[in-house]
Amino acid sequence: MQADKVTVYEAQNRVVAEGSVVFDQADQQRITGSHADWNYRTKTGYFVDSTGFTNQTQDGTRIYFTADRVEKISLDTIVAINVQVTACDEDVPKWSFQASRTRIKTGDRVQVYSPKLKLKDIPIFYLPYASVSIKHRDRASGFLTPTIGGSGAKGLRLSTAYYQTLGR
């Protein structure tokens, strides 16, 4: 953990960091923020005004997030509050989910509760629930990332697909 100011409370196994906080975990995960409170024994804590990314899948995909608050509740689980989640690494992502709560289980999946799907910065539609796989294995059944396109003849197109594996 790096920050402008770090205070260690040894009796409580706790670190409080303020200003430009950066938390790296073995090149697999990064969480940044303006303030952090971290328990180094349980490896849990929270970050305020956060951005970050999750582990990389075999095809190179990472999930990026920006949130008001990020809580690391276990070694492999993150809960983000008032969050934007995407797999795009642009400043204004091609697609994203905007939600009040997201649960990220590293190496498994991202669960987004009551998200709005946004294309660029434009809300397209509301979903009761969305889940994005970030598993390490090559193939798994599930919905693919939505795509957007357009042409002069056919107009704007938004599509998604379902992929079904038939075996390993």
Side-chain angles (χ1 to χ4, degrees), residues 83-154:
V83 61
Q84 180 177 4
V85 179
T86 185
C88 304
D89 59 0
E90 296 96 5
D91 288 338
V92 178
K94 293 176 187 169
W95 68 270
S96 65
F97 287 116
Q98 185 84 35
S100 59
R101 183 172 178 268
T102 298
R103 184 180 183 94
I104 302 169
K105 185 162 176 131
T106 57
D108 187 25
R109 65 180 46 259
V110 179
Q111 298 171 317
V112 189
Y113 301 96
S114 302
K116 289 183 272 184
L117 175 65
K118 294 172 79 176
L119 299 179
K120 295 290 187 176
D121 270 337
I122 302 167
I124 299 300
F125 58 88
Y126 166 83
L127 298 167
Y129 174 80
S131 179
V132 179
S133 176
I134 52 174
K135 292 184 180 181
H136 294 289
R137 64 183 173 177
D138 286 334
R139 299 166 23 145
S141 298
F143 286 98
L144 302 176
T145 305
T147 59
I148 186 168
S151 71
K154 296 183 180 179

Coordinates of all heavy atoms in Angstrom, one line a residue, residues 83-154:
V83 N -21.2 2.4 -8.3 CA -20.1 1.9 -9.1 C -20.4 1.9 -10.6 O -21.5 1.8 -11.0 CB -19.7 0.5 -8.7 CG1 -20.8 -0.5 -8.9 CG2 -18.4 0.0 -9.4
Q84 N -19.3 2.1 -11.4 CA -19.4 1.9 -12.8 C -18.4 0.8 -13.1 O -17.2 0.9 -12.7 CB -19.0 3.2 -13.6 CG -19.0 3.0 -15.1 CD -18.7 4.3 -15.9 OE1 -18.4 5.3 -15.3 NE2 -18.8 4.2 -17.2
V85 N -18.9 -0.2 -13.9 CA -18.0 -1.4 -14.2 C -18.0 -1.6 -15.7 O -19.0 -1.5 -16.3 CB -18.7 -2.7 -13.5 CG1 -17.9 -3.9 -13.8 CG2 -18.8 -2.5 -12.0
T86 N -16.8 -1.9 -16.2 CA -16.6 -2.1 -17.6 C -15.4 -3.0 -17.9 O -14.6 -3.2 -17.0 CB -16.5 -0.8 -18.4 OG1 -16.4 -1.1 -19.8 CG2 -15.2 -0.1 -17.9
A87 N -15.3 -3.5 -19.1 CA -14.1 -4.3 -19.5 C -13.3 -3.4 -20.5 O -12.3 -3.8 -21.0 CB -14.5 -5.6 -20.2
C88 N -13.7 -2.2 -20.8 CA -13.1 -1.3 -21.7 C -12.1 -0.4 -20.9 O -12.4 0.1 -19.8 CB -14.1 -0.3 -22.3 SG -15.4 -1.2 -23.2
D89 N -10.9 -0.2 -21.5 CA -9.9 0.6 -20.8 C -9.8 2.0 -21.3 O -8.8 2.7 -20.9 CB -8.5 -0.1 -20.8 CG -8.0 -0.3 -22.2 OD1 -8.7 0.1 -23.1 OD2 -6.9 -0.9 -22.3
E90 N -10.8 2.5 -22.0 CA -10.8 3.9 -22.5 C -11.3 4.8 -21.4 O -11.9 4.4 -20.4 CB -11.7 4.1 -23.7 CG -11.3 3.3 -24.9 CD -12.0 2.0 -25.1 OE1 -12.8 1.6 -24.2 OE2 -11.6 1.2 -26.0
D91 N -11.0 6.1 -21.5 CA -11.5 7.1 -20.5 C -13.0 7.1 -20.5 O -13.6 7.2 -19.4 CB -11.0 8.5 -20.8 CG -9.5 8.6 -20.5 OD1 -9.0 7.9 -19.7 OD2 -8.9 9.5 -21.1
V92 N -13.7 7.1 -21.6 CA -15.1 7.0 -21.7 C -15.4 5.6 -22.4 O -15.2 5.4 -23.6 CB -15.8 8.1 -22.6 CG1 -17.3 7.9 -22.7 CG2 -15.5 9.4 -22.0
P93 N -15.7 4.6 -21.6 CA -15.8 3.2 -22.1 C -16.9 3.1 -23.1 O -17.9 3.8 -23.1 CB -16.1 2.4 -20.9 CG -16.6 3.3 -19.8 CD -16.0 4.7 -20.1
K94 N -16.7 2.1 -24.1 CA -17.8 1.9 -25.1 C -19.0 1.4 -24.4 O -20.1 1.7 -24.9 CB -17.3 0.8 -26.1 CG -16.1 1.3 -26.9 CD -15.6 0.2 -27.8 CE -14.4 0.7 -28.5 NZ -13.7 -0.4 -29.2
W95 N -18.9 0.6 -23.4 CA -20.1 0.1 -22.6 C -19.7 0.0 -21.2 O -18.5 -0.2 -20.8 CB -20.5 -1.3 -23.1 CG -19.6 -2.4 -22.8 CD1 -18.6 -2.8 -23.7 CD2 -19.5 -3.2 -21.7 NE1 -17.9 -3.9 -23.0 CE2 -18.4 -4.1 -21.8 CE3 -20.2 -3.2 -20.5 CZ2 -18.1 -5.0 -20.8 CZ3 -19.9 -4.1 -19.5 CH2 -18.8 -5.0 -19.7
S96 N -20.7 0.1 -20.3 CA -20.5 0.0 -18.9 C -21.8 -0.3 -18.2 O -22.8 -0.1 -18.8 CB -19.8 1.2 -18.3 OG -20.7 2.3 -18.4
F97 N -21.7 -0.8 -17.0 CA -22.8 -1.0 -16.1 C -22.7 0.0 -15.0 O -21.6 0.1 -14.4 CB -22.9 -2.4 -15.5 CG -23.3 -3.4 -16.5 CD1 -22.4 -4.5 -16.8 CD2 -24.6 -3.5 -17.0 CE1 -22.8 -5.5 -17.7 CE2 -25.0 -4.5 -17.9 CZ -24.1 -5.5 -18.2
Q98 N -23.7 0.8 -14.8 CA -23.8 1.8 -13.6 C -24.7 1.2 -12.6 O -25.9 0.9 -13.0 CB -24.3 3.1 -14.1 CG -24.3 4.2 -13.1 CD -22.9 4.9 -13.0 OE1 -22.3 5.0 -14.0 NE2 -22.6 5.3 -11.8
A99 N -24.3 1.0 -11.4 CA -25.1 0.3 -10.4 C -24.9 0.9 -9.0 O -23.8 1.5 -8.7 CB -24.9 -1.2 -10.4
S100 N -25.8 0.7 -8.1 CA -25.6 1.1 -6.7 C -24.7 0.1 -5.9 O -24.1 0.5 -5.0 CB -26.9 1.3 -6.0 OG -27.6 0.0 -6.0
R101 N -24.7 -1.2 -6.4 CA -23.9 -2.2 -5.7 C -23.4 -3.2 -6.7 O -24.1 -3.7 -7.6 CB -24.7 -2.8 -4.6 CG -23.9 -3.8 -3.8 CD -24.8 -4.3 -2.6 NE -24.1 -5.3 -1.8 CZ -24.2 -6.6 -2.0 NH1 -25.0 -7.1 -3.0 NH2 -23.5 -7.4 -1.3
T102 N -22.1 -3.6 -6.5 CA -21.5 -4.7 -7.3 C -20.7 -5.6 -6.4 O -20.0 -5.1 -5.5 CB -20.6 -4.1 -8.4 OG1 -21.4 -3.3 -9.3 CG2 -19.9 -5.1 -9.2
R103 N -20.7 -6.9 -6.7 CA -19.9 -7.8 -6.0 C -18.9 -8.5 -7.0 O -19.4 -9.0 -8.0 CB -20.8 -8.9 -5.3 CG -20.1 -9.8 -4.4 CD -21.1 -10.8 -3.8 NE -20.5 -11.7 -3.0 CZ -20.4 -11.6 -1.6 NH1 -20.9 -10.5 -1.1 NH2 -19.8 -12.5 -0.9
I104 N -17.6 -8.4 -6.7 CA -16.6 -8.9 -7.6 C -15.9 -10.0 -6.8 O -15.3 -9.8 -5.8 CB -15.6 -7.8 -8.0 CG1 -16.3 -6.7 -8.7 CG2 -14.5 -8.4 -8.9 CD1 -15.4 -5.5 -8.9
K105 N -16.0 -11.2 -7.4 CA -15.2 -12.4 -6.8 C -14.1 -12.6 -7.8 O -14.3 -13.1 -8.9 CB -16.1 -13.6 -6.6 CG -15.4 -14.7 -6.0 CD -16.3 -15.7 -5.4 CE -15.5 -16.8 -4.8 NZ -15.9 -17.2 -3.5
T106 N -12.9 -12.3 -7.4 CA -11.7 -12.4 -8.3 C -11.6 -13.9 -8.8 O -11.7 -14.8 -8.0 CB -10.4 -11.9 -7.7 OG1 -10.2 -12.6 -6.5 CG2 -10.5 -10.4 -7.4
G107 N -11.2 -14.0 -10.1 CA -11.1 -15.3 -10.6 C -12.4 -16.1 -10.9 O -12.4 -17.2 -11.3
D108 N -13.5 -15.4 -10.7 CA -14.8 -16.0 -10.9 C -15.8 -15.2 -11.7 O -15.9 -15.3 -12.9 CB -15.4 -16.4 -9.5 CG -16.7 -17.2 -9.7 OD1 -16.9 -17.9 -10.7 OD2 -17.5 -17.2 -8.8
R109 N -16.4 -14.2 -11.0 CA -17.4 -13.3 -11.8 C -17.7 -12.0 -11.1 O -17.4 -11.9 -9.9 CB -18.7 -14.1 -12.0 CG -19.5 -14.5 -10.9 CD -20.8 -15.2 -11.4 NE -20.5 -16.3 -12.4 CZ -20.7 -16.1 -13.7 NH1 -21.2 -15.0 -14.2 NH2 -20.4 -17.1 -14.6
V110 N -18.3 -11.1 -11.8 CA -18.7 -9.8 -11.4 C -20.2 -9.9 -11.4 O -20.8 -10.2 -12.4 CB -18.2 -8.7 -12.3 CG1 -18.7 -7.4 -11.8 CG2 -16.7 -8.7 -12.3
Q111 N -20.8 -9.6 -10.2 CA -22.3 -9.6 -10.1 C -22.7 -8.2 -9.9 O -22.3 -7.5 -9.0 CB -22.8 -10.4 -8.9 CG -22.4 -11.9 -9.0 CD -22.6 -12.7 -7.8 OE1 -22.3 -12.2 -6.7 NE2 -23.2 -13.8 -7.9
V112 N -23.6 -7.7 -10.8 CA -24.0 -6.3 -10.7 C -25.5 -6.3 -10.4 O -26.3 -6.9 -11.1 CB -23.7 -5.6 -12.1 CG1 -24.0 -4.1 -12.0 CG2 -22.3 -5.8 -12.6
Y113 N -25.9 -5.6 -9.4 CA -27.3 -5.5 -8.9 C -28.0 -4.3 -9.4 O -27.5 -3.2 -9.2 CB -27.3 -5.6 -7.4 CG -26.7 -6.9 -6.9 CD1 -25.3 -6.9 -6.5 CD2 -27.3 -8.1 -6.9 CE1 -24.7 -8.1 -6.0 CE2 -26.7 -9.3 -6.4 CZ -25.4 -9.2 -6.0 OH -24.8 -10.4 -5.6
S114 N -29.1 -4.4 -10.1 CA -29.9 -3.3 -10.6 C -29.1 -2.4 -11.5 O -29.2 -1.2 -11.2 CB -30.6 -2.6 -9.5 OG -31.4 -3.4 -8.7
P115 N -28.4 -2.9 -12.5 CA -27.6 -2.0 -13.3 C -28.3 -1.3 -14.4 O -29.3 -1.8 -14.9 CB -26.5 -2.9 -13.8 CG -27.3 -4.2 -14.0 CD -28.2 -4.3 -12.9
K116 N -27.8 -0.2 -14.8 CA -28.2 0.5 -16.1 C -27.0 0.2 -17.1 O -25.9 0.5 -16.8 CB -28.4 2.0 -15.9 CG -29.6 2.3 -15.1 CD -29.7 3.8 -15.0 CE -28.9 4.3 -13.8 NZ -29.0 5.7 -13.5
L117 N -27.4 -0.4 -18.2 CA -26.4 -0.5 -19.3 C -26.2 0.8 -20.0 O -27.2 1.4 -20.4 CB -26.8 -1.6 -20.3 CG -25.9 -1.8 -21.5 CD1 -24.5 -2.3 -21.0 CD2 -26.5 -2.7 -22.5
K118 N -24.9 1.3 -20.1 CA -24.6 2.5 -20.7 C -23.7 2.3 -21.9 O -22.8 1.5 -21.8 CB -24.0 3.5 -19.7 CG -24.8 3.9 -18.6 CD -24.1 4.7 -17.5 CE -23.9 6.1 -17.9 NZ -23.2 6.9 -16.9
L119 N -24.0 2.9 -23.0 CA -23.2 2.9 -24.2 C -22.6 4.3 -24.2 O -23.3 5.3 -24.3 CB -23.9 2.6 -25.5 CG -24.6 1.2 -25.5 CD1 -25.3 1.0 -26.8 CD2 -23.6 0.1 -25.3
K120 N -21.2 4.4 -24.2 CA -20.5 5.6 -24.0 C -21.1 6.2 -22.7 O -21.0 5.5 -21.7 CB -20.7 6.6 -25.2 CG -20.1 6.1 -26.4 CD -18.6 6.1 -26.3 CE -17.9 5.8 -27.6 NZ -16.5 5.9 -27.6
D121 N -21.6 7.4 -22.6 CA -22.2 7.9 -21.4 C -23.7 7.9 -21.4 O -24.4 8.6 -20.6 CB -21.7 9.3 -21.0 CG -20.4 9.2 -20.2 OD1 -20.2 8.2 -19.5 OD2 -19.6 10.2 -20.3
I122 N -24.3 7.2 -22.3 CA -25.8 7.2 -22.5 C -26.4 6.0 -22.0 O -26.2 4.9 -22.4 CB -26.1 7.4 -24.0 CG1 -25.5 8.6 -24.6 CG2 -27.6 7.4 -24.2 CD1 -25.5 8.7 -26.1
P123 N -27.3 6.1 -21.0 CA -28.1 5.0 -20.4 C -29.0 4.4 -21.5 O -29.7 5.1 -22.1 CB -28.9 5.5 -19.3 CG -28.4 6.9 -19.0 CD -27.7 7.4 -20.3
I124 N -28.9 3.1 -21.7 CA -29.7 2.4 -22.7 C -30.9 1.7 -22.1 O -32.0 1.9 -22.5 CB -28.8 1.4 -23.6 CG1 -27.7 2.2 -24.3 CG2 -29.7 0.6 -24.6 CD1 -28.2 3.3 -25.2
F125 N -30.6 0.8 -21.2 CA -31.7 0.1 -20.5 C -31.3 -0.4 -19.1 O -30.1 -0.5 -18.8 CB -32.4 -1.0 -21.3 CG -31.4 -2.1 -21.8 CD1 -31.2 -3.2 -21.0 CD2 -30.8 -2.0 -23.0 CE1 -30.4 -4.2 -21.4 CE2 -29.9 -3.0 -23.4 CZ -29.7 -4.1 -22.6
Y126 N -32.3 -0.7 -18.3 CA -32.2 -1.1 -17.0 C -32.3 -2.7 -16.9 O -33.1 -3.2 -17.6 CB -33.2 -0.5 -16.1 CG -33.4 -1.1 -14.7 CD1 -32.6 -0.8 -13.7 CD2 -34.4 -2.1 -14.5 CE1 -32.7 -1.4 -12.5 CE2 -34.6 -2.7 -13.3 CZ -33.7 -2.4 -12.3 OH -33.9 -2.9 -11.1
L127 N -31.5 -3.3 -16.1 CA -31.6 -4.8 -15.9 C -31.8 -5.0 -14.4 O -31.2 -4.3 -13.6 CB -30.3 -5.5 -16.3 CG -29.9 -5.3 -17.8 CD1 -28.5 -5.8 -18.0 CD2 -30.9 -6.2 -18.6
P128 N -32.5 -6.1 -14.0 CA -32.6 -6.4 -12.6 C -31.3 -6.9 -12.0 O -30.9 -6.8 -10.9 CB -33.7 -7.4 -12.5 CG -33.9 -7.9 -13.8 CD -33.4 -6.9 -14.8
Y129 N -30.5 -7.6 -12.9 CA -29.2 -8.3 -12.5 C -28.4 -8.5 -13.7 O -28.9 -8.8 -14.8 CB -29.6 -9.6 -11.8 CG -28.4 -10.4 -11.4 CD1 -27.7 -10.2 -10.2 CD2 -28.0 -11.5 -12.2 CE1 -26.6 -10.9 -9.9 CE2 -26.9 -12.3 -11.8 CZ -26.2 -12.0 -10.7 OH -25.2 -12.8 -10.4
A130 N -27.1 -8.4 -13.5 CA -26.1 -8.8 -14.6 C -24.9 -9.5 -14.0 O -24.6 -9.2 -12.9 CB -25.7 -7.6 -15.4
S131 N -24.4 -10.4 -14.7 CA -23.2 -11.1 -14.3 C -22.2 -11.3 -15.4 O -22.6 -11.6 -16.5 CB -23.6 -12.5 -13.8 OG -22.5 -13.2 -13.3
V132 N -20.9 -11.0 -15.1 CA -19.9 -11.0 -16.1 C -18.8 -12.0 -15.6 O -18.3 -11.8 -14.5 CB -19.2 -9.7 -16.4 CG1 -18.1 -9.8 -17.4 CG2 -20.3 -8.7 -16.8
S133 N -18.5 -13.0 -16.4 CA -17.5 -14.0 -16.0 C -16.1 -13.5 -16.1 O -15.8 -12.8 -17.1 CB -17.6 -15.3 -16.8 OG -16.6 -16.2 -16.5
I134 N -15.2 -13.7 -15.1 CA -13.8 -13.4 -15.2 C -13.0 -14.6 -14.8 O -12.0 -14.5 -14.2 CB -13.4 -12.1 -14.4 CG1 -13.9 -12.3 -12.9 CG2 -14.0 -10.9 -15.0 CD1 -13.5 -11.2 -12.0
K135 N -13.5 -15.8 -15.2 CA -12.9 -17.0 -14.8 C -11.6 -17.2 -15.7 O -11.5 -16.7 -16.8 CB -13.8 -18.2 -15.0 CG -15.0 -18.2 -14.1 CD -15.9 -19.4 -14.2 CE -17.0 -19.3 -13.2 NZ -17.9 -20.4 -13.2
H136 N -10.7 -18.0 -15.1 CA -9.4 -18.3 -15.8 C -9.5 -19.3 -16.9 O -8.7 -19.3 -17.8 CB -8.4 -18.7 -14.8 CG -8.0 -17.7 -13.8 ND1 -7.3 -16.5 -14.2 CD2 -8.3 -17.5 -12.5 CE1 -7.1 -15.8 -13.1 NE2 -7.7 -16.3 -12.1
R137 N -10.5 -20.2 -16.9 CA -10.6 -21.2 -17.9 C -11.0 -20.6 -19.2 O -11.6 -19.5 -19.3 CB -11.6 -22.3 -17.5 CG -13.0 -21.8 -17.3 CD -13.9 -22.9 -16.8 NE -15.2 -22.4 -16.5 CZ -16.2 -23.1 -16.1 NH1 -16.1 -24.4 -16.0 NH2 -17.4 -22.5 -15.9
D138 N -10.7 -21.4 -20.3 CA -10.9 -20.9 -21.6 C -12.4 -20.6 -22.0 O -12.7 -19.6 -22.6 CB -10.3 -21.8 -22.7 CG -8.8 -21.8 -22.7 OD1 -8.2 -20.7 -22.3 OD2 -8.2 -22.8 -23.0
R139 N -13.2 -21.6 -21.7 CA -14.6 -21.6 -22.3 C -15.6 -21.8 -21.2 O -15.4 -22.6 -20.3 CB -14.7 -22.6 -23.4 CG -13.8 -22.4 -24.5 CD -13.7 -23.6 -25.4 NE -14.8 -24.5 -25.5 CZ -15.2 -25.1 -26.5 NH1 -14.6 -24.9 -27.7 NH2 -16.2 -26.0 -26.5
A140 N -16.7 -21.0 -21.3 CA -17.8 -21.2 -20.4 C -19.0 -20.7 -21.0 O -19.0 -19.8 -21.8 CB -17.6 -20.5 -19.1
S141 N -20.2 -21.3 -20.8 CA -21.4 -20.9 -21.3 C -21.8 -19.5 -20.7 O -21.5 -19.3 -19.5 CB -22.5 -21.9 -21.0 OG -22.2 -23.1 -21.7
G142 N -22.5 -18.7 -21.4 CA -23.0 -17.5 -20.9 C -23.2 -16.4 -21.9 O -22.9 -16.6 -23.1
F143 N -23.7 -15.3 -21.5 CA -24.0 -14.2 -22.5 C -22.7 -13.5 -22.8 O -21.8 -13.3 -21.9 CB -25.0 -13.2 -21.9 CG -26.4 -13.7 -21.8 CD1 -26.9 -14.2 -20.7 CD2 -27.2 -13.6 -23.0 CE1 -28.2 -14.7 -20.7 CE2 -28.4 -14.1 -23.0 CZ -29.0 -14.6 -21.8
L144 N -22.5 -13.1 -24.0 CA -21.3 -12.4 -24.5 C -21.5 -10.9 -24.3 O -22.6 -10.4 -24.1 CB -21.0 -12.7 -26.0 CG -20.9 -14.2 -26.3 CD1 -20.7 -14.4 -27.8 CD2 -19.7 -14.7 -25.5
T145 N -20.4 -10.2 -24.3 CA -20.4 -8.7 -24.1 C -21.3 -8.1 -25.2 O -21.1 -8.4 -26.4 CB -19.0 -8.2 -24.2 OG1 -18.2 -8.8 -23.3 CG2 -18.9 -6.7 -23.9
P146 N -22.1 -7.1 -24.9 CA -23.0 -6.4 -25.9 C -22.1 -5.7 -26.9 O -21.0 -5.2 -26.5 CB -23.8 -5.5 -25.0 CG -23.7 -5.9 -23.7 CD -22.4 -6.7 -23.5
T147 N -22.5 -5.6 -28.1 CA -21.8 -4.8 -29.1 C -22.7 -3.8 -29.7 O -24.0 -3.9 -29.7 CB -21.3 -5.7 -30.3 OG1 -22.4 -6.4 -30.9 CG2 -20.3 -6.8 -29.7
I148 N -22.1 -2.7 -30.2 CA -22.9 -1.6 -30.8 C -22.3 -1.4 -32.2 O -21.1 -1.5 -32.3 CB -23.0 -0.4 -30.0 CG1 -23.9 0.7 -30.6 CG2 -21.6 0.2 -29.7 CD1 -24.2 1.8 -29.7
G149 N -23.1 -1.1 -33.2 CA -22.6 -0.8 -34.5 C -23.6 0.0 -35.2 O -24.7 0.3 -34.7
G150 N -23.3 0.4 -36.4 CA -24.3 1.2 -37.2 C -23.9 1.2 -38.7 O -22.7 1.0 -39.0
S151 N -24.8 1.5 -39.5 CA -24.6 1.7 -40.9 C -25.6 2.8 -41.4 O -26.6 3.0 -40.8 CB -24.7 0.4 -41.7 OG -26.1 0.0 -41.7
G152 N -25.3 3.4 -42.6 CA -26.2 4.3 -43.1 C -27.5 3.7 -43.6 O -28.5 4.3 -43.5
A153 N -27.4 2.5 -44.1 CA -28.6 1.8 -44.6 C -29.5 1.2 -43.5 O -30.7 1.3 -43.6 CB -28.2 0.7 -45.6
K154 N -28.9 0.6 -42.5 CA -29.7 -0.1 -41.5 C -29.8 0.6 -40.1 O -30.5 0.2 -39.3 CB -29.1 -1.5 -41.2 CG -29.1 -2.4 -42.4 CD -28.6 -3.7 -42.1 CE -28.7 -4.6 -43.4 NZ -28.1 -5.9 -43.1

